[in-house]
Amino acid sequence: MAELDRVEKSSHSLDKSITLPPDEIFRNLENAKRFAIDIGGSLTKLAYYSTVQHKVAKVRSFDHTAQEAASDKLYEISVQEEITARLHFIKFENAYIETCLDFIKDHLVNTDTKLIKATGGGAHKFKDLIEKKLGLKVDKEDEMTCLIRGCNFVLRNIPHEAFIFTKHADSEFRFQNTHPDIFPYLLVNIGSGVSIIKVESEDKFERIGGSSIGGGTFWGLGALLTKTKRFDELLQLASKGQHTNLDMLVKDIYGGSYGSLGLTGDLIASSFGKSATTDKEFSKEDIAKSLLHMISNDIGQLACLYARLHRLTRVYFGGFFIRGHPVTMHTITYSINFFTKGEVQALFLRHEGYLGAIGAFLKGAEEDNPNQYSWGENYAGSSGLMSASPDINPMQRARSGTFDMLEMDRLERKLVNLPLLEDPSSYVPDTVDLTEDPLAREYWLFCFEDALDGVVKRAVASQPDLPEAVERAEKFRQKYRHKLQTLRQQPFAYGSLTVRSLLDTREHCLNEFNFPDPYSKIKQRENDLALRCYQKAVAALDALGWEEKQFALVRGVLAGNVFDWGAKAVSDVLETDPEFGFEEAKRQLEERPWLVDSYDQWLQRMKGPPHKCAVFFVDNSGMDIILGVMPFVRELLRRGTEVVLASNSSPALNDVTNGELQILTETVAAMDPIIQAGLKEDRLVLVQTGSSSPCLDLGRLDKMLTIVVRERKADLVVIEGMGRAIHTNYFARLSCESLKMAVIKNPWLAERLGGKLFSVVFKYELPAPPPAAPPMKEEEEEEEEEEEEEEEAVFSPQGAPGVQPAPLRRECPEL
C-alpha cells in the first residue's frame, strides 16, 4: 500500500510525487470495461469493472471404452484458463487525483469505454480535469440515487457489512448478519448537513427529513473555536477531550439525578453550559469533544424520531462525518440507545465510503444488470476495515492518507438462503466469533500460520509441470502471512473473524496465485483407493443385522470424516503412514457415549416411517464420500427416501466437488444396483451448493439447490464434517429434522470441549415446536431448568463425567 502521509499540504493541492505499484493498486486496469467516480470534499472513490483471467480446475471423466481405457485413472483434473468479472473500488485523497488519473491513462488499454459516470459534490469541480486526462465524457448522476443503490448492493452481497460499535469492549465491532430482506430501512447520511432517507425497495426511496446541523457544522464551528482547519485533526482533539468541563450536567443543576423524570446525574443538561459562568480558558480538546457530543446527540435524536414515526428498526449511518472514527460512532450509538431506550441500534457500514461510487457504477452498468448476480468480497485484494483505535496500530489511522481497496467477484451462481431455515433473519452460520475470544483467536491464527508450509508444499505438488509454480507458491505464502498479521492487529478487518473466514481468505489467496486445486492429486489417489474397497464394505454391511447395521453405517460416516487434510493432526498421519486406512480410522473413533450423542434418538427415528427427502451436505473426497456417505445414502434409498447430495461448486482443501461427485457416483452406481436405480429413477440427485469453502453458509446457497429442496419437500438435512457442522451450523435451527455428524480432529478444540482427539459429535434434532404452546406446569419448568443445567455442565472446559452429552449453547465461549 502506497504511503502518502508525508504530504500535508492543502487538500486542494495536487501531488505528483507518489509511485503507484500496479500489482497492488488499480489491478487489472488493462482489462477495465467501464468507470465511475465519486468525488467528495476530501476523498475520491473510483470504481471500475474488469475481466480477470485466472486458472480453474476442471474435471473430465476418462472414456474407458476408447483409447483412454489404458489409463488406470477414473478422471483427470486439468487446470484451464477462465475469464470472470470483478468490480474494483479504490479510495484515495483528492490531493492525488491528478497522479491517479495519469496512472490510469498510462495503463488503460483494450477499452471501448466512452464515458465515466460521476457523482459527489466534487464531480463538477474536477470534470474538466477528468475529461482531459482520460478522454472520457463525464456523465453526472444524482448523488442520493447513487448512495441508495450502493447501500442496497453492499447490504445484499456482503454478509458482515453492517456493525454495531461498542467502545471499550473486547470487540469494538459487533457485526450483524444481514436480513434476507434488506428493506425497509432508514439511512442517515451525515455530510455537510444531514439527510434522512426512508428506503422501501431497490428503486423506491424518499428523503423524509434532515437538518442543516451536520458534519459541516462540526467542522465550521470547530475551526472557529479551536483554529483547527482539518476535519480529522478536530476528531483527534475530540478523542482526547473531556466534555464535562464545558457541558452542564443534570447533577450540576440538581446536585444529582432527577429521579421523577428518569434523568441520571451524568446526562448533559446544556451543551457548553459551563462556558458562560466560568472564568477560565477551555482546552481545544474539551471544546471539540463538547461540540461533537452536541451535534451527534442532535442527529441521534432526529434519527430516532423519524425511525419511530415510520416504524423502522434498522437505521444505518453513513457520510463523511462517520468515516470509521470511534468517537463519532460512539457518540451516535450512545444517543440512539438513550433516546430509544435500546429499542433501535445504530448500525454502521464497513464500506460506507464506497456507496456513492458503487451506485454510480451500477447506474452505468444497467445494461449488464449486475443485480441479477451474486457477488462476493475478494479478501485477497481488499484492504479491510481499519482499526478504530489509533493506539492499537498507529499506522492504520494514517490510512486516510493511503489507498483503500475493495474487490468484488461475480459468482457463477445466484445465492439465496436455504428455505428450511427456521428463521433466516436470525441465522448465524459461525459457531464462534474469534473477535470476542482472544485466546481462541490467537490459537487459530497461529494454527493457520503453522500450516502454511504444508499448504505451499501441496500447491507446488499439484502443478509438477509448471516450473514457475514454486515462485507463485512463495508469493501466496507472503500474501496469506501478511493477511494473518493484519488480522492479528485488526481481527474485524473483513467482518467477524471466524475459522470460516480464515479458511476462505486462504482459498482466495491460493486462487489469486493460480492454485485452484492444491489437493487434486491427493483426492484422485484417495478416490481410487476407496472405490476398490466399496463392494467389500457394502457386502460386510449387508451381512449385519438391522440394528447392528444402522450403527455400522453411522460409524462409517464418522470414520470417513477422519480423512480430512485440513486437520494437521490427520494430515501428519496420512503423510507419514501410507497404510492408514478406513479400518484404522474406525479404531481411532471415541467409544460411546460420544461427546455429543443423540444416536439412540436417531435409531428410534429410523425404526419409524421413511423420510420423504434427505438433503446431505457432504464433505471430503476418498474414504469419506465413497465408504462413509455412499453406504449411508444407499440405506436411505433402500428405505424409500429420496436423497439430494449437495457438494461444493469449486475446490476447497480435499472436499469433493460437484464435478468429481458426478463421476464418483456414476462409478459407484456401476457396482451397486441400489445407487444405480436411485440415479435412474431420479430419487438420487446431485446438486452444487454454490460454495468453494470448507465451511457452509446456509444463507448463501445456489438458487437451484433451494428450488430442488422446495420441490422435493425435503424433511431431513444431514450436515457432515468439522467445517460444516462444528465451525459452522452447530446452532443452526431448521424447520425440519436435522442430523449433524463430525469428528473433532483438532486436539486444542477437543480439549476445550471437554473431549479428546477424535471425539464424536452426533447431534440429531427435531424442528422446534409451534410457538403457541400451553403454559408449563411447575414440574415441567423444574425439569427444563435441570436440563439446562446439564447442558451447562457438559460443555464446561473440563467436561462433566457421567452426564449425558447435550447440545452446545450459543453463549458457550469454549469452542
Side-chain angles (χ1 to χ4, degrees), residues 439-454:
L439 187 62
R441 178 170 72 243
E442 187 52 41
Y443 169 75
W444 286 111
L445 286 170
F446 165 79
C447 191
F448 277 88
E449 188 161 3
D450 187 50
L452 252 178
D453 288 343

Side-chain angles (χ1 to χ4, degrees), residues 200-352:
E200 297 183 78
S201 68
E202 188 66 41
D203 298 307
K204 185 179 180 182
F205 62 89
E206 176 188 5
R207 186 183 188 275
I208 57 176
S211 172
S212 61
I213 301 173
T217 311
F218 173 71
W219 197 350
L221 279 178
L224 288 172
L225 294 171
T226 69
K227 309 304 180 186
T228 301
K229 297 295 185 182
R230 290 179 65 87
F231 185 81
D232 285 347
E233 287 178 12
L234 269 174
L235 285 172
Q236 284 298 313
L237 288 175
S239 69
K240 300 170 185 176
Q242 178 55 262
H243 75 98
T244 55
N245 290 334
L246 275 92
D247 292 344
M248 188 174 290
L249 309 182
V250 170
K251 66 184 178 183
D252 295 326
I253 302 173
Y254 299 105
S257 62
Y258 197 147
S260 62
L261 294 182
L263 302 176
T264 64
D266 292 328
L267 283 178
I268 299 173
S270 174
S271 295
F272 289 91
K274 290 179 182 176
S275 61
T277 59
T278 305
D279 292 327
K280 70 171 187 178
E281 291 291 323
F282 296 99
S283 71
K284 293 181 179 181
E285 290 81 1
D286 293 347
I287 292 171
K289 186 63 168 284
S290 182
L291 182 61
L292 182 65
H293 273 285
M294 182 181 76
I295 291 171
S296 297
N297 286 336
D298 183 66
I299 294 170
Q301 185 173 30
L302 198 61
C304 291
L305 291 171
Y306 278 106
R308 284 184 165 176
L309 181 64
H310 292 269
R311 298 179 181 178
L312 298 172
T313 57
R314 281 173 279 181
V315 183
Y316 299 102
F317 289 83
F320 88 86
F321 185 64
I322 306 294
R323 283 178 62 177
H325 283 279
V327 181
T328 312
M329 292 190 293
H330 172 66
T331 51
I332 286 177
T333 298
Y334 182 87
S335 175
I336 291 287
N337 286 341
F338 175 79
F339 289 117
T340 68
K341 295 180 172 59
E343 293 177 6
V344 176
Q345 291 179 314
L347 295 168
F348 304 96
L349 301 172
R350 262 205 306 141
H351 300 105
E352 63 90 14

Side-chain angles (χ1 to χ4, degrees), residues 381-399:
S382 298
S383 305
L385 187 67
M386 64 181 170
S387 171
S389 173
D391 298 327
I392 293 178
N393 190 349
M395 288 302 297
Q396 291 304 321
R397 179 47 59 186
R399 280 265 292 279

